[in-house]
Amino acid sequence: MEEASLFDMYESEFSAIKFEPLVVNNDKDMQYIQLLRDGREKSLSPFAFKTSQTRGRAFEEKPCTIRSDYERDMGRIIFSQSFRRLRHKTQVFFNPLNDHICSRIEHVIYVNYISTIIARALNLNVDLVQAIAMGHDVGHAPFGHSGERALDNCLSKVDASLYFEHEQQSLRVFDILEERTEDSHGLNLSFEVRDGIVSHCGETYDEYCLAPKRDKATDAIVNKGRKNREAPATLEGCVVRFADKIAYVGRDMEDAIRAGFINSDYLSKNVKTRLGNTNSEVINTLVGDIIHNSLDRDEIRMSKDAFGAMNEFLTKNVEQIYLSKKIATYEKTVKITIEALFEAFLEASTDVEKASRSSSKVIRDFADYMIAHPQPEAHNAIKVADYISGMTDSFCTSCFESLFRI
């Protein structure tokens, strides 16, 4: 016997609605689409977060006829300027000549793909997962984590209470900085998407099991302290946090082989036996392991042996790639570039009117940014960090060269 479709299940309700096919935005269409959406939500896992239960947006908006709240958030994210710039921000290797080295936007796409596969298998809210995944890294500084560390160091020198973390900057971009219209800023995303973005950090290596913190206060995500690794408020957010780690562990190895940092015989026998020999095999193994161990649970869990092998893999990446001499040399260059720009812009911020008349276009552009900044009361150092963190690798380098080349 064939399984009844949603149209069959709700035939009486559908037949009661008088359709106006040439008019999309009307109450009748909304009723029809809402019936379909409600039907899908009823079939989700009991641990999935239902869109109808959202805590909503900071500023209430009229519902969309066609899209759910999380589908709207996804659209706002991928059409934003900050998202577009990710294609020119690198993941580990800076300004590579090899076009096949992973960019930040590719990493985001990988996280979206991996988390969607897991969410579908666990029957979770895919719309929510995808919005979190696509938005999680927009706050990254140029030059990856090296740029992040350099900016953090610059801020702490100005004021010990100031710091820079890319996950909190991602939330700041969507809440405050991203331009929505010519005269308004902030994308007014749903709480659950914002929470998943600010809580996504996958660099906690001892985390093989993660349960959502559903009682999290709504304002806690804005007031989240430095290095706060609190769990997301939804199981969907937990999925993205695991997917973030899975997406880069094997891909960074592939990039390092392409860049000549390591050879193809890189993985230990234990890692190869448990996870596989290639990035594809590693992803397939880890995704399957998570699905198997998380089915019908209110947590996202990895088996201890797979987790141990992944940790061994990550530890070797740290030792052989992230702490390699070549990367250390790149990081010195990044540190000089970021610090020099930060100091120049911070000095310019003390007299924006004077900066707007500078002979340097770089300083004039910065002055324009300061004048238009949507949070005029913010510390000047924070505004400088906002400006630099939004740069692509190449634009950051060109600004440095323009200011300091003799």
Side-chain angles (χ1 to χ4, degrees), residues 26-38:
N26 61 74
D27 291 341
K28 297 179 182 66
D29 286 351
M30 187 174 290
Q31 291 175 49
Y32 171 76
I33 293 168
Q34 190 62 50
L35 281 168
L36 290 173
R37 185 176 294 128
D38 291 346

Side-chain angles (χ1 to χ4, degrees), residues 340-371 387 391 395 399 402-404:
L341 288 178
F342 187 91
E343 290 170 6
F345 292 145
L346 189 61
E347 181 180 352
S349 72
T350 61
D351 191 340
V352 175
E353 187 178 336
K354 178 182 177 182
S356 66
R357 301 191 304 270
S358 172
S359 60
S360 167
K361 185 178 184 302
V362 171
I363 297 298
R364 292 197 306 273
D365 288 346
F366 170 71
D368 291 342
Y369 178 84
M370 287 290 288
I371 292 168
Y387 189 61
M391 294 179 173
F395 184 69
C399 285
S402 177
L403 283 177
F404 298 101

Side-chain angles (χ1 to χ4, degrees), residues 54-69:
T54 179
R55 298 193 203 180
R57 309 177 189 278
F59 305 100
E60 190 174 348
E61 298 181 21
K62 183 180 178 181
C64 177
T65 305
I66 297 172
R67 297 168 298 163
S68 72
D69 286 344

Side-chain angles (χ1 to χ4, degrees), residues 12 21 56-57 62 73 95 104 116 140 196 201 204 210 230 276 288 301 317 327 340 352 363 384 396:
S12 59
R57 309 177 189 278
K62 183 180 178 181
D73 289 349
N95 275 331
R104 182 65 56 181
T116 297
H140 251 295
C201 188
T204 304
L210 189 63
E230 191 173 56
R301 175 182 288 271
N317 279 0
I327 290 291
V352 175
I363 297 298
V384 171
C396 188

Side-chain angles (χ1 to χ4, degrees), residues 227-258:
K227 296 192 181 301
N228 182 325
R229 299 295 182 252
E230 191 173 56
T234 65
L235 200 59
E236 287 78 2
C238 296
V239 168
V240 175
R241 185 142 136 180
F242 268 88
D244 185 32
K245 190 182 297 186
I246 294 171
Y248 69 72
V249 58
R251 182 57 202 258
D252 287 353
M253 174 192 71
E254 284 189 341
D255 283 352
I257 292 172
R258 287 191 182 96

Side-chain angles (χ1 to χ4, degrees), residues 89 140-144 146-148 334 338 388-393 396:
K89 291 186 177 185
H140 251 295
F143 310 116
S146 300
E148 180 176 10
V334 170
I338 297 289
I388 294 175
S389 66
M391 294 179 173
T392 62
D393 294 16
C396 188

